[in-house]
Amino acid sequence: MKNNIISLVIAFSLGIFALTACNENEKTADKATTAKEQKVLRVAAQAYPLYSPINAAYKLGYFDEEFKAIGASYTWTEFASGPLVNEAVAAGEGDVGFMADLPAIIARSSGQNIQVVSGVSTGERSLAVLTRADSDIKKITDLKGKKIAYAFGSYAQHLLALVLDQAKLTFDDVESVNLGAADSPNALVNKDVDAIVIWEQFITKLTNNGSAKVLIDGTGIKKSNMVLYAVKDFAEKNPELIKAFIKATKRGAEYIKNNPKEAAALLAPKYNVTEEEILKIFGNFNFGVELSDDDVKEITTVADYAYKAGIIKQPVSGDEFINRSYLN
């Protein structure tokens, strides 16, 4: 009986040890899961129609779904412009940002270790030179000697350069005024400037209310690529986070294409426009994450322009700046 009691004690002790070991293994697994869930993508965002696929995906919960599927999460901070996004990323406060081609190129040239990883939208008619509705400026050659407002370093500057070149003019032939998109409309209406170079949603709002007219847009001149960029080191260590973001964005683009009226109702309040206006704005864009060979060529052309014009100090190579591997 003594031997039986000893055997029972040993068996019980081994059982307790096995149960403890099992619990420890479960705790280790829980810690591993928690660590995986703690992977976070910090998004530096903008609330403009140019980025509607991303904003739609955010509103519809597509980012929540895609990041939950890989056991990760994200933070979302909105900024008023591309340069402010660049500042946040440069300060180590963001892992991805989206903006027009030129501000992204400026960020890369300034030393930020970023790469374009997907498209967001293109739209030749989404960027334009506007004059007052009653302006005597009728053609682009009339811009000579005029005061023109645009955001320095924005893709609006590149469009203006192309427009002036068509008219055989240069920036020396006009008076440039550095104004952001939020301030340019009032400057035009109040006759502080003669023309502005601006993007959507401002084009539609100003032309719809009768205060401005389009002198020329980017049709046949500038494709106007909106891009998603990522911090290179972060993306290489966390490719699944970048791919999840791209997948959600693609779903957002498909939603707008297949449900334009619902998408208009969803996004109109965000852009402070009517549903009718946002539907018109949608018509000025091609939404999608693809980066075609033509897109790469366009972005490279913009980079070459920025270097020749002295906007950037260091040239930007398209081969190093654009990474399409995350789209595969």
Side-chain angles (χ1 to χ4, degrees):
M1 181 176 289
K2 183 177 180 181
N3 289 339
N4 289 339
I5 291 172
I6 291 171
S7 297
L8 287 170
V9 169
I10 292 172
F12 180 77
S13 299
L14 288 172
I16 292 295
F17 176 79
L19 182 62
T20 302
C22 182
N23 287 339
E24 288 301 320
N25 286 337
E26 288 178 357
K27 288 178 182 177
T28 301
D30 288 342
K31 286 179 180 178
T33 301
T34 301
K36 185 178 181 182
E37 289 176 348
Q38 288 175 345
K39 277 196 171 183
V40 179
L41 180 74
R42 297 169 301 168
V43 182
Q46 295 188 69
Y48 291 112
L50 316 166
Y51 318 111
S52 287
I54 295 176
N55 289 320
Y58 177 68
K59 297 279 283 184
L60 291 164
Y62 292 162
F63 287 114
D64 297 332
E65 294 171 4
E66 295 295 342
F67 279 80
K68 183 178 180 181
I70 60 171
S73 62
Y74 68 94
T75 62
W76 183 276
T77 307
E78 289 192 351
F79 297 88
S81 67
L84 292 178
V85 169
N86 284 339
E87 288 179 16
V89 174
E93 298 171 359
D95 305 308
V96 296
F98 42 92
M99 60 189 61
D101 46 23
L102 184 53
I105 289 163
I106 291 172
R108 172 73 178 195
S109 176
S110 69
Q112 288 183 232
N113 193 21
I114 58 171
Q115 286 186 323
V116 170
V117 293
S118 86
V120 178
S121 71
T122 61
E124 292 182 336
R125 292 178 296 170
S126 67
L127 181 64
V129 180
L130 302 186
T131 60
R132 284 185 300 278
D134 60 354
S135 173
D136 58 358
I137 299 174
K138 306 296 182 185
K139 52 188 183 298
I140 57 177
T141 52
D142 294 336
L143 292 173
K144 185 173 183 179
K146 302 298 183 183
K147 188 180 292 187
I148 306 174
Y150 56 92
F152 290 10
S154 72
Y155 76 131
Q157 181 173 350
H158 183 223
L159 176 66
L160 181 57
L162 296 172
V163 167
L164 291 174
D165 186 62
Q166 277 197 359
K168 299 190 182 329
L169 300 173
T170 70
F171 282 98
D172 292 334
D173 295 310
V174 299
E175 183 178 347
S176 294
V177 179
N178 187 12
L179 278 182
D183 299 318
S184 291
N186 284 339
L188 181 66
V189 172
N190 295 334
K191 299 185 177 182
D192 295 325
V193 296
D194 302 298
I196 61 175
V197 192
I198 204 163
W199 48 84
E200 291 288 16
Q201 67 271 22
F202 303 102
I203 297 171
T204 294
K205 288 186 72 172
L206 289 168
T207 54
N208 269 16
N209 66 25
S211 60
K213 62 184 179 184
V214 174
L215 177 67
I216 188 171
D217 61 27
T219 301
I221 306 173
K222 182 171 174 62
K223 194 171 184 180
S224 296
N225 289 77
M226 303 299 122
V227 298
L228 171 70
Y229 76 54
V231 175
K232 185 174 182 288
D233 292 343
F234 179 90
E236 289 175 347
K237 292 175 183 176
N238 304 280
E240 72 279 11
L241 299 187
I242 305 303
K243 291 178 181 180
F245 192 96
I246 294 171
K247 285 172 69 176
T249 301
K250 184 177 180 181
R251 290 174 64 188
E254 291 170 348
Y255 181 85
I256 295 171
K257 179 181 178 180
N258 298 326
N259 309 277
K261 290 184 179 179
E262 292 83 353
L266 179 75
L267 294 174
K270 189 173 186 67
Y271 304 142
N272 193 28
V273 295
T274 66
E275 291 180 28
E276 291 75 17
E277 286 174 332
I278 194 63
L279 281 171
K280 182 179 178 182
I281 290 168
F282 285 163
N284 290 333
F285 286 99
N286 294 307
F287 296 125
V289 299
E290 297 79 10
L291 281 171
S292 67
D293 291 344
D294 284 343
D295 293 323
V296 172
K297 182 179 179 181
E298 173 82 6
I299 295 168
T300 302
T301 298
V302 176
D304 291 343
Y305 156 76
Y307 182 63
K308 290 175 182 176
I311 297 172
I312 59 176
K313 303 289 188 195
Q314 297 296 325
V316 170
S317 167
D319 291 339
E320 297 175 356
F321 181 48
I322 302 169
N323 184 350
R324 293 189 278 185
S325 66
Y326 299 98
L327 289 167
N328 293 337

